[in-house]
Amino acid sequence: MQEREKYSTVRQGVLDGFPISLGYLPLAFTFGMMTTDNHLPIWAALFVSATNFTSASQFAGIDLILTGQAYIEIAITTLIINIRYFLMSLSLSQKIDDRVNNFKRGIIAFSVTDEIFALAMQRPGWVSPRYLVGLTVMPYLSWALGSLVGAAATGFLPMALRDAFGIALFAMFLLLIIKPSKESKPVLFTVSIAVALSCLIRAIPMFDGVSSGWVIIICALVASSAAAVRYPVTIGGEEV
Amino acid sequence: MNYTRFFVGVTLMAIMTYLPRVLPLVVFRKKIENPFIKSFLAYVPYAVLAAMTFPDIFSSTNSLLSALVGMAAAVVLIFLNGNLVTVALGATGAVFVAEQLMRLWVG
C-alpha cells in the first residue's frame, strides 16, 4: 500500500513536470545553437547543460570562458546570477520532512530551478523527494537533450517558430501567479509589489548594471517582507 | 579551443550553481518557527515568479506587439481554467500568428 503511494507520487511528479519540459525546449535549443555558433563541439552544449541545469548563468558563463576572463570572475558571476536559488532552496527546505537525509537532500537540490521550485511549492503539505525527482526528470532531459539537438541542428528550427516559443515559459509563469492571486489576497499583494518594483528597477537607467539575478532577489526580499508584515501566515495554517 | 580551460570553467560554473541550491537544504534542516520568516518564505515563490515575468515577458518575442498578443492569449486561457500546457501552447500559437500577420502587413 505504502509502495503504491510512493509510486504514484513519482508518477504524479513526472506528469506535473511535463509542461515545464515543454517550456525548456526552445531555450535549450537556443543555448545549443549559441555554443555551436561559437565554434564549440556539439557535445559541449550537452556537457554544460547536464552539469549546470540552469539557464541565464550558462549563457553568461560560456561567454566569459570564450572571451578569456579569469576563473575567479567566471565563478563569482555564476554565483551572483544563481544566488536567488539560495532563497528558493531555503523556502523549499520548509516543505521537506526533517527526516529526509542529507544524501537525498543533495539530490533534490539539483531540482531547484525557477520553474520546478515554483511548481513544487504549489503542493499542499510536505513535498517528498520522490515527487521532486519525478518532477525533475522530464525538464532535465528536455534541457540536456534540447541543448544537444540545438547544437547539432543550428538553423534547422525555423526562426519564426523559435521566436514564438519565447513566450511559452512566461505564459506558464503567468498561470502560476494569476491562479493563486485570484484566490488569495496576500498573494495578489505580493505579486503586485514584485511586478511594480521589478519594472521600476528596469526602467531606471541608474540600475542598468544590476544583473537580473539581483533584481529578482531585491524584488523577492521587498515584496515577501511587505506581505509577511501585512499578512502573517496564521499559526498552523501552512496555506497562503 | 582550449579544452582544459573549458572544463575548469564549466566545472566552476557547476559548483557555483549547485552551492546555493544545496546549502539551505542541508544546513537549515530544522523548521523555522519565527512567524515573520515563516510568512516571508511562504510568499517568496510568488514574488520570484512575478519579478521573473515582468518586464521580461514584453521582450520575449520579436516585438512588443506580438508579446502583448501572446500575453493576452495566456490571460484569457488562464481565466478559462486552462492548464500549463494549453496556456503555454495557446500563447505560443497566438504569438506565431500575430508575427506572421505583422510580416504580411509590413511586407
Side-chain angles (χ1 to χ4, degrees):
Chain A
M1 187 61 199
Q2 208 189 354
E3 272 311 301
R4 238 169 74 188
E5 200 172 72
K6 282 177 183 170
Y7 171 71
S8 80
T9 54
V10 179
R11 228 173 82 109
Q12 191 57 49
V14 174
L15 289 175
D16 291 351
F18 176 71
I20 304 180
S21 59
L22 206 72
Y24 279 178
L25 270 183
L27 216 60
F29 284 148
T30 311
F31 178 73
M33 291 177 198
M34 184 271 249
T35 56
T36 306
D37 287 345
N38 282 293
H39 312 294
L40 284 168
I42 288 167
W43 54 260
L46 175 66
F47 176 67
V48 180
S49 287
T51 53
N52 280 252
F53 193 38
T54 180
S55 60
S57 80
Q58 286 189 198
F59 285 91
I62 289 300
D63 186 58
L64 293 176
I65 290 176
L66 290 170
T67 53
Q69 308 302 317
Y71 286 138
I72 181 78
E73 191 177 336
I74 296 170
I76 290 175
T77 304
T78 312
L79 185 65
I80 286 175
I81 297 177
N82 290 328
I83 199 87
R84 68 183 188 284
Y85 290 145
F86 191 90
L87 212 52
M88 296 182 204
S89 234
L90 188 59
S91 184
L92 180 66
S93 76
Q94 299 301 301
K95 280 181 81 82
I96 307 285
D97 195 327
D98 301 3
R99 288 164 296 185
V100 175
N101 65 33
N102 277 346
F103 177 73
K104 284 184 180 163
R105 282 166 187 265
I107 293 174
I108 58 180
F110 213 62
S111 299
V112 181
T113 71
D114 305 308
E115 297 77 15
I116 297 172
F117 161 74
L119 221 64
M121 294 301 288
Q122 310 249 321
R123 299 279 293 184
W126 292 128
V127 178
S128 75
R130 278 164 188 269
Y131 175 77
L132 273 171
V133 169
L135 193 61
T136 311
V137 167
M138 294 297 286
Y140 180 79
L141 288 177
S142 155
W143 183 246
L145 299 179
S147 302
L148 182 70
V149 172
T154 305
F156 176 74
L157 195 67
M159 203 61 197
L161 209 56
R162 253 168 74 194
D163 289 337
F165 256 114
I167 197 105
L169 267 184
F170 291 109
M172 291 185 197
F173 290 168
L174 280 178
L175 175 83
L176 293 175
I177 53 179
I178 289 178
K179 255 193 166 168
S181 291
K182 279 198 295 184
E183 282 149 26
S184 157
K185 224 173 160 184
V187 173
L188 179 64
F189 178 77
T190 313
V191 167
S192 307
I193 293 182
V195 169
L197 191 60
S198 173
C199 292
L200 194 70
I201 295 175
R202 297 294 182 80
I204 299 173
M206 198 178 87
F207 298 120
D208 272 354
V210 183
S211 79
S212 63
W214 278 109
V215 175
I216 292 170
I217 290 173
I218 293 165
C219 293
L221 286 177
V222 174
S224 306
S225 301
V229 169
R230 189 155 168 193
Y231 303 100
V233 178
T234 45
I235 297 155
E238 289 284 310
E239 292 303 304
V240 277
Chain B
M1 181 65 213
N2 178 345
Y3 285 110
T4 311
R5 186 178 157 72
F6 176 76
F7 277 112
V8 175
V10 174
T11 306
L12 275 175
M13 283 162 59
I15 293 169
M16 290 309 188
T17 306
Y18 186 65
L19 277 180
R21 282 173 168 163
V22 75
L23 284 181
L25 277 168
V26 174
V27 176
F28 300 96
R29 299 188 53 138
K30 276 233 171 103
K31 292 294 159 274
I32 292 167
E33 296 300 335
N34 179 307
F36 173 79
I37 298 178
K38 234 175 126 173
S39 310
F40 170 84
L41 291 175
Y43 294 122
V44 160
Y46 304 105
V48 166
L49 276 174
M52 279 196 313
T53 310
F54 293 95
D56 291 24
I57 188 170
F58 300 122
S59 52
S60 66
T61 64
N62 256 340
S63 69
L64 175 64
L65 188 60
S66 66
L68 286 174
V69 170
M71 195 175 129
V75 171
V76 168
L77 287 169
I78 290 165
F79 277 89
L80 291 174
N81 270 325
N83 60 29
L84 281 172
V85 178
T86 52
V87 170
L89 290 183
T92 306
V95 169
F96 185 78
V97 171
E99 290 188 347
Q100 298 309 308
L101 286 177
M102 281 159 65
R103 230 192 305 181
L104 281 180
W105 256 307
V106 179

